[in-house]
Amino acid sequence: FTQLAAEGKTEGLWFRTFATSGVQAAMGAKVAADQGYKSVAIFYKNDDWEPDRGELVAAEREALGIGVRGAVARNDG
């Protein structure tokens, strides 16, 4: 995409997408499984958004047989 833009083939338009929390959780679980992890702990930001993502992350890892030993919320600062 970067090369297309450099060549002027995007007509001045530039788009980026943001993967959903579910997609991010699934891909993170796949990477952890591919690396051979058997158990993990999850750290997440303590705000309105992250606790739900933490649950998705845990569920995806557990579905691949990776044990989730704990989940810890962290506050900014």
Side-chain angles (χ1 to χ4, degrees):
F1 188 77
T2 301
Q3 185 63 37
L4 289 174
E7 294 169 1
K9 295 179 180 176
T10 62
E11 298 181 14
L13 301 175
W14 189 268
F15 298 94
R16 293 283 185 199
T17 59
F18 182 77
T20 64
S21 296
V23 170
Q24 291 179 29
M27 288 308 300
K30 182 182 180 327
V31 169
D34 289 350
Q35 293 294 316
Y37 288 98
K38 302 295 181 204
S39 65
V40 297
I42 297 170
F43 294 87
Y44 62 90
K45 186 176 177 181
N46 189 19
D47 64 11
D48 292 338
W49 177 268
E50 294 295 320
D52 290 337
R53 187 182 304 188
E55 291 175 12
L56 287 170
V57 166
E60 290 290 342
R61 280 156 179 75
E62 289 171 341
L64 292 179
I66 300 170
V68 176
R69 302 294 177 226
V72 178
R74 67 165 183 78
N75 296 315
D76 281 341

